[in-house]
Amino acid sequence: MSQTQQGDDVFRTYLLPLFPLPLAIAVVTMAEFGDFISALGEFGLYQKLLIVLLSLPLLLNSFQMIGQVFMVVDVPHHCNTSWILAIAPNLTEEEQLNLTLPRDADGVYEQCSMYSPVDWDLDSIMMYGLNATEKCRSGWVYPTDQPPSLLTEFDLVCDRKDLTDISQSIYMAGLLIGSMIFGTLCDRIGRRPVFLIAILLQGLFGLGVAFVPHFYVYIAFRFVVGTAVSAILITSLALATEWVGASYRPRAVLITHCCLALGQLILAGLSYGIRNWRLLEIAGSVPMFALFFYFWVLPESARWLVTKGRVEEAKKVLQKAASVNKRTLPPGMLEQLKPEKQTKSGSALDLFRKKHLRKVTLIMSCTWFADSLVYYGLSLSVTSFGLDIYLTQLAFGAVELPARIICVFLLQWFGRKKSQALLLLLSGLLCLIITGIPEDQSVVTTVLAVIGKFTSTAAFSTSYVYAAELFPTVIRQTGVGLCSTMARVAGVIAPLMLLLGQYHRAIPMAIFGSVPVVVGVLCLLLPETRGADLADGTGASAPQLSSKTLETLSKRDTTERGEDSEDSYKYSESK
């Protein structure tokens, strides 16, 4: 396998699929198609403009994923006890509350209970007092100076408080279903139509959320938005990786990932300036309609067109790309562009039938699960750390940028196995440390949470690379798809774990911390893949370094560090 083939196969398989795709496909030889990308420019003006187009929707995706936490900020509230005003309409607010609401041990009015209404006159109530209590029967009263929020409008307090986390889990379920539906459609009908459909769905249903009359309608609309967000993530990564040269693919993916982080920074400022939840929802959804010009400018993947036998269409978009890049394709080169039927042998059962693959599958599935659990666990806990949630979210978004950038260097310096294990262990340990921090030490808790967000973000990015290199070519898409499914499952579970905080505040964070620690240790059982050839069949027990890679690593290590790589010697001896 040539170096171009190897690089093309890596990025096409681990960044493209978020759910299993068919194993039997029609493909052009990667070296052959790589020659076309090289001829028209691996990362010219055409590709740069494409990356910009793909990045714009990702700025808005962060709003849909995290924005709800700013719509359910807890505010003071108490039961509506206006029944007593029918008996004594001239009571002051303080007198009304004193007569109708019980107090807790600290002398503060109870928020979720009230004295049972009676048909006595005011003198009798004041003389004998009320003793029997019950849950709020006529709703709640909130501060009048507070702008309407999701919490106050739909009474997401007391017994209904759990609906907040449940709705977030249903949104995560939308991400999972979206991966299943649009992952298949992306391969069948193309990247471009799926991307356009997703923009339309996210715009329409995101805007529709701002006008829902009932909370259960809100949940249903958010589910659809989740499927659209998942589709945008799938297709943007597909188009970004299929249009650029192998050496520029990490850069293209890094730019799109950084836009997700920038979106979180924008979310912090937007939610701080707009406190009305319906206006905030409109502000986060309407910009999506400005992207409908994509219908005329967004290209289809030439690579996908070739795999589907639509060679003439592929030739047109390749010529257009070369023209924008001010490059000229060699005469007769386009005539060599022909699809080659290639049936890949291999079964999904091989993931569990072969001993070495069974170990890789189980550990990597757990790794993606742990990545997602701690990432979303910290992201959705932003309101519970004690500091201003807007500043905390700003810090969360800011650390994602360097986390995704430094991940590239960690993989190069320390390899996949050590980086993955270390990042998971650090993420888990930080969460466990948070459980022991006193509740009044909000600054310390927030600082640890921000560092945990940094390490969990880097761990997630590492998993994409590592999984693709561990699974052999014949079942790589199936293996990575299974891992992605586990990540989505963790995304559904994470909000539900927050419900356990009502029994003890440390329980959710203890779960978010213990799982990555255990999985981080398991990662040490995986083989190292840095500089190794990709396995094509299911027979090889571990990736092997090629002689060219060994020479390159040796030269690089000698130049940069003055010493040979220990891993290179080990692999050389084994070969």
Side-chain angles (χ1 to χ4, degrees), residues 156-359:
L156 302 179
V157 294
C158 300
D159 290 344
R160 292 172 55 84
K161 187 176 182 179
D162 294 347
L163 290 176
T164 299
D165 293 322
I166 292 174
S167 68
Q168 191 67 31
S169 286
I170 293 177
Y171 167 80
M172 295 293 181
L175 292 177
L176 173 60
I177 300 301
S179 297
M180 298 171 62
I181 296 175
F182 290 106
T184 302
L185 283 178
C186 186
D187 186 58
R188 290 187 177 181
I189 68 176
R191 285 76 165 106
R192 180 178 179 274
V194 168
F195 196 85
L196 296 175
I197 291 172
I199 289 178
L200 177 62
L201 286 177
Q202 183 170 329
L204 287 177
F205 283 87
L207 182 61
V209 167
F211 300 97
V212 294
H214 196 279
F215 187 68
Y216 293 109
V217 180
Y218 167 87
I219 292 177
F221 275 42
R222 286 273 296 165
F223 176 85
V224 178
V225 170
T227 63
V229 168
S230 184
I232 290 175
L233 291 172
I234 293 172
T235 50
S236 63
L237 288 174
L239 286 169
T241 56
E242 292 178 352
W243 263 112
V244 301
S247 60
Y248 289 95
R249 285 189 176 121
R251 184 182 305 178
V253 173
L254 177 63
I255 292 173
T256 57
H257 278 198
C258 286
C259 283
L260 287 170
L262 288 174
Q264 294 199 35
L265 294 175
I266 296 173
L267 170 63
L270 194 66
S271 57
Y272 180 80
I274 305 176
R275 302 299 178 92
N276 185 311
W277 82 272
R278 292 187 184 272
L279 294 180
L280 179 60
E281 190 70 46
I282 292 173
S285 301
V286 165
M288 192 63 75
F289 290 99
L291 304 181
F292 283 158
F293 72 92
Y294 281 24
F295 182 82
W296 293 277
V297 299
L298 186 71
E300 181 57 271
S301 167
R303 184 183 302 273
W304 178 84
L305 290 172
V306 172
T307 63
K308 292 299 180 180
R310 296 159 61 174
V311 177
E312 293 304 317
E313 296 178 58
K315 291 178 180 179
K316 291 180 180 179
V317 293
L318 288 171
Q319 288 174 325
K320 182 178 180 180
S323 175
V324 173
N325 289 342
K326 301 186 184 304
R327 303 284 289 269
T328 302
L329 294 176
M333 188 176 188
L334 288 176
E335 301 304 321
Q336 302 175 13
L337 189 64
K338 296 179 181 180
E340 175 187 341
K341 291 290 182 178
Q342 179 180 353
T343 302
K344 294 182 176 289
S345 60
S347 168
L349 294 177
D350 288 334
L351 291 173
F352 299 97
R353 183 183 297 122
K354 307 282 186 176
K355 181 180 179 180
H356 63 283
L357 285 177
R358 182 165 60 247
K359 181 179 74 172

Side-chain angles (χ1 to χ4, degrees), residues 50 104 340 495:
L50 175 62
D104 59 20
E340 175 187 341

Side-chain angles (χ1 to χ4, degrees), residues 487-550:
R488 300 303 183 191
V489 171
V492 174
I493 293 176
L496 299 179
M497 293 295 101
L498 297 176
L499 298 177
L500 299 176
Q502 60 186 311
Y503 302 106
H504 194 285
R505 70 176 187 88
I507 295 178
M509 204 57 62
I511 296 175
F512 297 148
S514 57
V515 173
V517 168
V518 174
V519 176
V521 174
L522 291 177
C523 287
L524 297 175
L525 301 177
L526 293 171
E528 179 57 70
T529 61
R530 181 181 60 168
D533 279 331
L534 294 176
D536 290 322
T538 60
S541 60
Q544 296 293 320
L545 287 177
S546 62
S547 57
K548 181 182 291 187
T549 303
L550 281 169

Side-chain angles (χ1 to χ4, degrees), residues 377-378 380-387 389 439 442 445-446 498 505 509:
L378 288 171
L380 299 177
S381 299
V382 67
T383 59
S384 63
F385 294 135
L387 287 186
I389 63 171
E439 195 168 0
S442 54
T445 301
T446 303
L498 297 176
R505 70 176 187 88
M509 204 57 62

